[in-house]
Amino acid sequence: METYKLTVNGQPKEVAVDPGTPLLWVLREELKMTGTKYGCGIAACGACTVHVAGIATRSCVVPVSLVGDRPVVTIEGIGQDPVGRAVQDAWVSEDVVQCGYCQSGQIMGAVALLKSTPKPTDTNIEESMGGNICRCGTYVRIRQAIKSASQQLKSGGAS
Amino acid sequence: MTAATNFTNDLLSRRSFLRVSATAAGGLIVSLYLDLPLAAQEGGQAKPKAYPPDAFVHIKPDGKIVIQVNRLEFGQGVHTSLPMILADEMDADWAQVLAELAPAADVYKDPVFGIQMVGGSGSIAHSFQQYRELGAKTRAMLVAAAAEQWKVTTNQCRTEASVVHGPGGRSAKYADLADEAAHMPVPETVPLKNAADFRLVGKKIRRLDSRPKCNGSLKFGLDLDLPGMKVVLVAHPPTFGASPRSVDDKAARSIPGVADIFEIPTVSKGTAVAVVADKFWTAKQARDRLRIDWDLSRVERADNSQLREKYKELAGTPGNVAVARGDEKALAGIAASNRIVAEYEFPYLAHSPMEPLNTTVRYDGDRAEVWAGSQFQTVDQMAIAEILGLKPDQITFHTEMAGGGFGRRATPDSHVQREAAAIAKRFTGTPVKLVWTREDDVQGGYYRPMHVHRVEIGMGADGMPSAWRHVIVGQSIVAGTPFASFIIKNGVDATAVEGTADTHYDIPNFHVSAHHPTVNVPVLWWRSVGHTHNAFVMETLIDELATRAKMDPIAYRRKLLKPDAKKLHGTLDLMEEQSAAWRTKLPAGHAVGFSCHESFGTGVACAVDVSIENKRPKIHRVTVAVALGLAVNPLTIESQFQAGVAFGVSQLMAKGAITLKDGYVEQSNFDAYTPPYIIDAPAAVDVHIVPSTEKPSGCGEPPVPVISPAVVNALSRLTGKRYRTLPLVTV
Amino acid sequence: MPLPGYIGPVLSASHAFGCDRDAGKALNSPGFKIVGYCLRQARNANRKRFTMCSHRAMLRLFFTILVACAGWSVTPLLASGQSVSRKETATPATREAGLVAWQQVYSVLTHPRCINCHTATNYPQQGDDRHRHVVNVVRGPGGKGVPGLNCTTCHQGANADNTGVPGGHDWHLAPLSMKWQDLNDKILSSAEICRSLIDRSKNHNLDGSGLLKHHEEEPLVLWAFQPGRRRDGTPRSLPQLTHDEFVAATRTWVEAGTPCPQNP
C-alpha cells in the first residue's frame, strides 16, 4: 500500500492503494467515480479513457504510481470545460448513445481531438477515435456529433 | 383504493386487470395485471395476484409522470419508445415524463412470450397495444375526474400536455386530478387514437437516457456500490465442464483484502473457483495468483478443425427436415452446368457487450435482493430463488441499465445469476457483486454457434432457381432448455434455419434440413440469431445466381420474391430509389452490393458502396430501406439501423471468430476477437422507412443480417471471387 | 573515456553463465561449447528465453575477440581525448572491426524491441512477430500518434508490468527518415540501414559521437534493454546484446569511422 495524491477534476484526492492498481480502479473503487468504464482492461476498447495532463489516456493500463502530479480529468468533470460541454451537448442533440457504456470514453476521445483539431476531417475522426469500440455501432452518429460540436464551438456557442 | 377491470388485448386474448390506486404520498398509480396462461395457472381460477410495486404509471404531485418500462434497456431504445406510446395516448406532457426500468414481476412479462424479457425484437411489437391501452385508460380516468368536478360530460373535455381542458376555459393539471382520478372506475374499453392524432408516436423523439449516459452519472449494473459490498471474480475451467484436480490458493489468499476463496459448481457441471475480495483489483490480483491444476480428462475438448471436418461430413447427408416443398428429385434432372454447389462456414461468435457481465446479490436468509442488467428478469429470478432455496417472490430483482447485450444477457440457464447466488449464499447479509472480466466473457462460451451450410441449386432456363437443396449443420441453441418444446419441431431448431426455411423467395422445389450435433461449447442467440448465417447464405447465393443469369441483382430479387412478400418488395423499391443517385456514379475501385432480408417481421433492403483499402473492405456508404409497420420512433429506428449494420460487420472482421483448440478458446480479449472499430464500420448510413400505419414490428435485430452479404456481394464484383467462409480473413 | 572501458563491459559480462533449459540443450550440441556468453539468462534467471541463445553466444564471442583485438589499434585516438571521427582517420584494421561491430549494432536495431517503432508505414508494430499495432494506432504528424490516440494514451514514462504495457520517457515512433523497414514491413539490409543511420540529413544531424550518445542515453534505446513484462507476465524478449555491449559495439563502429557494408 502506498499513498498517492491525485488531482481529479481539479479536486485534490488522496488514496492508499497498491502501486500497481490501474488508475481506472482508483477512480471507480476508491474515489467512487464510476463514469469511467471498464471494458477490456487492455486498452483495446477505450471505455476507460480519461485525460491525464490533457492527453486522452486509457486509465485501465496506467498504474496509479505512474500518474505522478499530472492532473486527471474524467467524464464527470469534462463538462466544466467549454469543449467538453459542447461535445456532451452535441452527443445529446445528435442522439448518439445507445447502451451508452462506451460513450464516456468516446466523449473523452472526441474532446481531445477537438481541442487540438478544431475542424477535424473524416480522417482525423477515424484516426483519433480509431481505438474506441462502440459495440452497439453508433459510429455514424459519433462522426456527426463531433462535426456538430466543432461547428458549435466555431460559432462560439460554447464559449 | 383499488378498482379493477379487464380488457382484451388484440395480441393477447388473455385476461388482464388494471388496478388504479392513490398513493400515500399523493398521486395516481396505474397498474396492469396480466394473468398469463402459464402452466402454473392453468386449470386454476384466473385471479389477480397481489403485485405491490407494479405500477406502470405514476403521476406525481409535482406533475412528473413516471412510466415503468417492462423490459431491459441496453441500447435498443425501449426506455424512450415505450413511454412515448403510453404518454401519447395519455396526452402527457413529454417534458415531464420519466422512465424507469421495472423490476422483475409477473405483471411486466412480455405479453406474448410469457416471461419478462427482451428478445426476438419484440418489445414494441408486443407491447405497443399494451402501452397504448394503459395510456388511454389513465387519460380516461383523469378526464372523468375533471368532468365530475366541473359537472360536465367527458365529451366536453379534451386533453393536451398533462392538462384537461373543459368548457368555459376551465382547465386542470393531471397532477391536481390524480387523487380524484384514482377513485374513478376503470373503463372497460377505451377508444384509441387514430394514427393522425399521435403527438409523439411517429415523431423523431430523442432518448430520455442520453444526458446521464454522456456525463458519467448513469449507473450501470457494474457501477453498483453498496455498503460492505464484496467483489467476486471466478476462475472458470479452461474447458467447459472441467473441474480442478487441485487448487493452490496460498499466494492468492496472502493478498490483503481477499475475503475467501472456494469452489462453486458451474452450470456446465464442472467446478469453478470463486475469489471474494473487497475490490475488483484485489480479486483480479488474487485470481491471477491461483494455481489450479485442471482435470480435463472427463470433458470433451472441442476443437475447430475436428468440428469443421465433422460438420462438413454431416452437411453431405440429409438432416431432419425443416422444409420439403416440391419434388426432391428435381435437382437430379438439371444439367451439372446449370447447378451450383456451395459450402459455407461460419465460426462461433461472442457477443461481447461493452459492459462485462455482472450480477449483484444480497442474501438475507428469508429473502434476497438482486441487481442485474438482465434480458430475462423472471427467468433469472427463478434461478436465483432455486439456488437460494427461496420462492421467486422472495427475490427483489432490480433491472439495471445494461451496457449492451445482443442476446448475451438472455441465458435460459441463468448461469451468471446462479453463480452469483451460490456465492452470495455464503455471505448472508453482504452484497456480493460477481464480475466476469472481458477475458471471462470472451472465453466463457454462450456463443453464436458455428455452422456449415451446404447448398445445391439447380437453375431453370430462365436463370431462376428451380430446385434448391440446403443442409444446415450447427448446434441447437435451445436444446436442453425450457424453450426446446416450442422451438424444436421434427428435430429441427427453428432458430438454426430461420431466414432460409421461411424464405420469401419463390423456389418451387425447395428442401431444407438440419443436423444439430452436440458439442461441449455452450451456445446462445446472438443478435438476429439464425438470420446471421442464413441471410448470408441466401443473399450471397441469390446474388451469384443473378450474376450467372446476367440480370440486375435488384430486378432478379424482385422477380424471385413471392408477390405477397410486401415488406421486401416495398424495401427493394425504396432502396433502389434512394440509392440510385450514388450507385450510378461510383468512383473507380468501388462496387455496389445488395441484399434484402426479412427477419422478426421486418423487411430490410440495403445497398452498400465498398472498395478495398489495406486489403480490407472499406464501407463508404449504406442505404437501407426498412418496412416495419408503423414507425413508433423514427429516430430510434434510424439509430438502430445505422448502428446495427455496424454491429453486423462483426461477422466480417479479420479477427471476428472464436476458435477452439483442444478444448481451449484461443481468443481472450479484443486484441484477438475484435469487434468493428470506427474504420471498419460504414462511414455513412442513410435509413429510409416505408410509410405504414400497420402494426409495428421490431428494429433491434433486423439491421444485422443484411450488411455482411451486401458487403461481400460488392467484394465479389470487385474481385470476381466468392466468399463463403467467415470471418473474412482475406479479401 | 579511456578505451579499455569499452572492452570492459563486454568481457566482464562474460562471468555470467547459463541459459534456460532449451537454450542449454542447444549449447550442448556439437559445435556449441561456448556457454559463457549466454549471460543475460543468469542475470535474469527467472526469465524465459526461447531461441537464439546459442547463436547469440557464438556471435558474441566472435565479436568480442575481434573487437578486443581491433580495439587496441584505435586506443591512442580515444585516449587522447579526441572526439571520434569519420573514416578519414580509420585504418583498414579498424574498418574491419567497425564493420563487425556494425553487424552487432544492426542486430540490435533490427530486433523487434527497436525496429517495431522504426517502421516505414503509418503505424508502429508490436510483438516479436512485429505485427501491426492493434487498436488502429497511427503514426501521426510527429510520430506520437494523434490526439485521442497518442502513444502516451497508453505508454507512460515507465513500464507498467502490472498491465503489460511498456513505457519509457516520451514514447514515440522514429521519424520516417529513420525507417528500417520497407512499406511491406520487410527489414532493410544492413547496408541500407547503415547508410541511412549515418546520413545526417536523416538522422537529426548526428555525427558519430552524436549517434553514440544516442545509443548510450536515449531513454527509448535504454528501454529496449529493459522492456518489461508482457500482459501474461512473461518478460519481453531482449536484443542480442546487452546495452553495454551495444554501446561498446557502437563505439567501435563510430571509432572506425562508421563504416557501412558494401551493397546491398
Side-chain angles (χ1 to χ4, degrees), chain A residues 31 40 61 68 78 92 105 107 113-114 118 129 135-136 143 148:
Chain A
L31 303 178
C40 68
V61 294
I78 199 70
V92 172
I107 287 170
L113 166 63
L114 286 169
M129 306 300 287
R135 189 69 175 117
C136 298
R143 282 174 197 263
S148 131

Side-chain angles (χ1 to χ4, degrees), chain A residues 1 16-18 20-22 25 28-30 32-47 60 75-78 85 88-89 91-104 107 122 125-127 129-144, chain B residues 73-76 205-207 209-211 213-220 222-223 225 231 279-281 285 350-356 402-404 406 433 435-439 526-527 618 635 638-640 642-644 646-647 650 669-671 673 675-679 681-685:
Chain A
M1 287 280 178
V17 291
D18 180 82
T21 310
W25 297 104
R28 288 180 57 85
E29 297 195 318
E30 305 298 324
K32 313 290 185 194
M33 297 169 71
T34 54
T36 305
K37 302 302 184 194
Y38 163 64
C40 68
I42 62 163
C45 78
C60 74
I75 188 68
E76 288 93 344
I78 199 70
R85 183 71 198 178
Q88 286 175 328
D89 288 348
W91 243 248
V92 172
S93 62
E94 295 291 333
D95 217 44
V96 172
V97 311
Q98 290 193 9
C99 88
Y101 194 81
C102 74
Q103 302 292 355
S104 297
I107 287 170
D122 273 303
I125 293 172
E126 288 182 4
E127 290 185 345
M129 306 300 287
N132 288 75
I133 295 175
C134 173
R135 189 69 175 117
C136 298
T138 64
Y139 299 116
V140 167
R141 298 186 97 80
I142 286 173
R143 282 174 197 263
Q144 284 169 5
Chain B
E73 170 65 53
F74 58 159
Q76 83 281 38
I205 306 277
R206 291 196 186 97
R207 301 177 67 103
D209 55 0
S210 269
R211 183 62 72 179
K213 284 178 173 177
C214 290
N215 63 18
S217 64
L218 188 132
K219 302 287 182 197
F220 292 86
L222 197 70
D223 301 330
D225 183 37
V231 179
K279 284 163 198 160
F280 175 91
W281 193 248
Q285 298 288 100
H351 307 66
S352 18
M354 287 308 292
E355 182 200 6
F406 320 112
K433 177 160 75 181
V435 181
W436 276 45
T437 62
R438 178 59 56 200
E439 288 82 1
W526 189 95
R527 194 175 181 181
K618 177 76 187 168
L635 188 59
E638 183 179 83
S639 290
Q640 282 298 305
Q642 286 177 328
F647 182 93
S650 303
N669 209 316
F670 290 144
D671 55 341
Y673 178 73
Y677 288 97
I678 193 169
I679 57 161
V685 183

Side-chain angles (χ1 to χ4, degrees), chain A residues 27-89:
Chain A
L27 293 170
R28 288 180 57 85
E29 297 195 318
E30 305 298 324
L31 303 178
K32 313 290 185 194
M33 297 169 71
T34 54
T36 305
K37 302 302 184 194
Y38 163 64
C40 68
I42 62 163
C45 78
C48 66
T49 305
V50 299
H51 290 184
V52 177
I55 300 284
T57 300
R58 305 286 189 249
S59 65
C60 74
V61 294
V62 177
V64 65
S65 59
L66 295 181
V67 174
D69 57 5
R70 295 178 293 167
V72 176
V73 176
T74 71
I75 188 68
E76 288 93 344
I78 199 70
Q80 292 160 21
D81 174 285
V83 178
R85 183 71 198 178
V87 171
Q88 286 175 328
D89 288 348

Side-chain angles (χ1 to χ4, degrees), chain C residues 12-13 20 30 33 47 62 93 95 98 110 121 129 158 168 198 200 209 220 222 230 243 245 252 257 261:
Chain C
S12 66
D20 68 3
K33 295 298 183 199
R47 296 189 177 191
F62 180 56
R95 180 183 162 79
T110 53
T121 50
D129 61 353
I198 61 175
R200 291 175 73 154
S209 60
L220 295 184
L222 293 175
R230 302 184 183 105
H243 182 246
E245 290 163 350
T252 302

Side-chain angles (χ1 to χ4, degrees), chain B residues 81-324:
Chain B
S81 47
L82 286 174
M84 272 171 66
I85 294 164
L86 197 155
D88 198 324
E89 287 289 352
M90 187 180 156
D91 279 336
D93 177 4
W94 182 246
Q96 299 297 312
V97 170
L98 303 170
E100 274 181 11
L101 298 189
D106 284 356
V107 69
Y108 297 123
K109 285 176 173 173
D110 182 289
V112 173
F113 290 133
I115 57 173
Q116 192 174 346
M117 64 169 280
V118 171
S121 297
S123 298
I124 298 299
H126 299 172
S127 281
F128 180 62
Q129 187 74 7
Q130 179 188 16
Y131 272 68
R132 287 184 79 185
E133 292 191 5
L134 282 162
K137 290 192 178 188
T138 308
R139 176 191 167 277
M141 292 161 72
L142 289 159
V143 170
E148 194 175 274
Q149 259 182 27
W150 299 331
K151 310 283 180 241
V152 300
T153 64
T154 53
N155 290 344
Q156 294 173 279
C157 301
R158 60 183 185 85
T159 50
E160 191 177 346
S162 293
V163 176
V164 182
H165 297 276
R170 278 172 291 196
S171 68
K173 291 177 185 164
Y174 282 4
D176 299 333
L177 292 166
D179 284 348
E180 279 307 306
H183 296 265
M184 294 292 132
V186 179
E188 283 280 325
T189 55
V190 279
L192 299 177
K193 284 185 177 178
N194 292 316
D197 298 328
F198 287 137
R199 291 194 170 100
L200 298 167
V201 170
K203 307 284 186 303
K204 288 189 167 189
I205 306 277
R206 291 196 186 97
R207 301 177 67 103
L208 293 173
D209 55 0
S210 269
R211 183 62 72 179
K213 284 178 173 177
C214 290
N215 63 18
S217 64
L218 188 132
K219 302 287 182 197
F220 292 86
L222 197 70
D223 301 330
L224 195 72
D225 183 37
L226 298 167
M229 190 175 78
K230 301 287 182 201
V231 179
V232 189
L233 295 190
V234 173
H236 295 100
T239 300
F240 304 106
S243 295
R245 218 176 263 122
S246 67
V247 178
D248 175 358
D249 62 7
K250 272 195 212 71
R253 281 183 185 276
S254 72
I255 293 174
V258 173
D260 203 357
I261 295 172
F262 49 85
E263 295 187 7
I264 54 164
T266 66
V267 170
S268 51
K269 296 188 171 59
T271 306
V273 182
V275 178
V276 184
D278 56 346
K279 284 163 198 160
F280 175 91
W281 193 248
T282 316
K284 166 91 165 51
Q285 298 288 100
R287 190 178 69 169
D288 288 350
R289 280 161 182 72
L290 286 175
R291 294 169 65 114
I292 304 173
D293 178 16
W294 295 101
D295 177 8
L296 307 184
S297 65
R298 282 189 293 273
V299 291
E300 176 198 329
R301 298 167 78 157
D303 189 297
N304 261 67
S305 57
Q306 287 167 17
L307 288 177
R308 189 169 166 269
E309 288 308 305
K310 180 176 161 184
Y311 281 25
K312 284 165 93 80
E313 196 182 312
L314 280 172
T317 65
N320 294 321
V321 175
V323 184

